[in-house]
Amino acid sequence: MRMMPLGRVNWRGCLAAGLLWIVAGAAPAEGGDFYIGVTGSGERLGVLYDKTVDNTSPSNVSLNQGQVFQVDDSANKVGYGYGFLAGYRVPLGLTGLFVAGEGDLGYHRGVVLGRLPGLGTSEGRNQLGEVWPEDWSFDKDRSFGFTLRLGAGIPVVGPGLGPSVYGLVGVRRLGAKFRADYTGCLNPTPCTEDSQLTSGTDRFDENFTGWTTGGGIEKKVGAIAIRGEVRYTDYGSASRTIPFTDVGVTVPLSLETSGVSARVGLLLYF
């Protein structure tokens, strides 16, 4: 019989399950307006990576002096995640309408991989001042956000007995890790042998702030509710400039990312 090492136990999942169990024992049968919950999600994430090599500096020493090269690459990846949330739901009179404010924290898995093509004047991209081919990756780490929901109950069986449908809009903050691996020529003259080429890696922690919109359906049974929703999130963009001061080259980089996700949640009202 195989034993699972204690270090591999998902302590966050155990903590969330324990919290839900404890509160469920003390919550009223129908629950109140405040709620907490856990979520699981799948997302198709798209990333656009744009890179420019600018040789217009008067101190540029490359054979491409005065030229600017720009190239981009895009890639997609289906990833998954889990998270925790807390919110407050306010009924709007006897109309069946409601509004809810909710904050959540998400952890994500899934790395977007791409290959940026080179661009320049040499056939082998073996000159300084060109865009060298490189392999890049975008690792979505964690995010947090706040959403507002506006919805109404569907009287399938009777008032208050059917599911609720809602629309949502909110803001989201995403933290991600970016990596690019390259091989190129840092000499003022073209590199004619492999031994003259230089390999390197750029690593950055990037933060994005964007908006999200979507809709969902929620069914409440006593103090417990099950939710399913679809979201589109535009995480926005992030940029930075890498200066190669010694050779008069500047390299602006930018990243844009967005995703479409499906999310399920288990909520507890009290």
Side-chain angles (χ1 to χ4, degrees), residues 156-240:
V156 176
V157 180
L161 300 179
S164 299
V165 295
Y166 58 85
L168 65 89
V169 63
V171 294
R172 192 145 204 93
R173 179 76 168 175
L174 168 67
K177 300 181 184 299
F178 177 77
R179 170 173 173 159
D181 298 305
Y182 62 86
T183 298
C185 181
L186 290 175
N187 299 331
T189 57
C191 296
T192 57
E193 300 179 4
D194 290 344
S195 60
Q196 297 176 314
L197 298 175
T198 300
S199 296
T201 299
D202 291 326
R203 293 184 179 90
F204 308 114
D205 291 330
E206 298 289 3
N207 293 298
F208 302 80
T209 302
W211 56 272
T212 185
T213 185
I217 185 169
E218 180 180 314
K219 173 59 178 175
K220 188 177 179 184
V221 180
I224 303 295
I226 299 175
R227 170 194 291 177
E229 64 185 32
V230 176
R231 295 184 175 197
Y232 170 76
T233 304
D234 183 345
Y235 294 103
S237 62
S239 61
R240 65 175 63 236

Side-chain angles (χ1 to χ4, degrees), residues 2 10 14-15 19 25 28 43 47 54-55 81 95 103 107 131 135-137 157-158 191 210 228 230 238 256 258:
R2 176 177 295 179
N10 189 329
C14 293
L15 178 61
L19 180 60
E43 181 181 43
V47 179
D54 188 342
N55 300 286
T95 62
Y107 297 87
V131 179
D135 295 309
W136 61 272
S137 65
V157 180
C191 296
V230 176
E256 297 180 12
S258 61

Side-chain angles (χ1 to χ4, degrees), residues 46-83:
V47 179
L48 174 65
Y49 171 37
D50 185 285
K51 183 174 185 177
T52 301
V53 176
D54 188 342
N55 300 286
T56 58
S57 171
S59 61
N60 185 272
V61 298
S62 75
L63 297 180
N64 297 296
Q65 187 177 33
Q67 299 192 65
V68 177
F69 301 104
Q70 183 273 332
V71 66
D72 60 57
D73 181 49
S74 60
N76 298 276
K77 172 71 176 182
V78 176
Y80 68 94
Y82 62 94

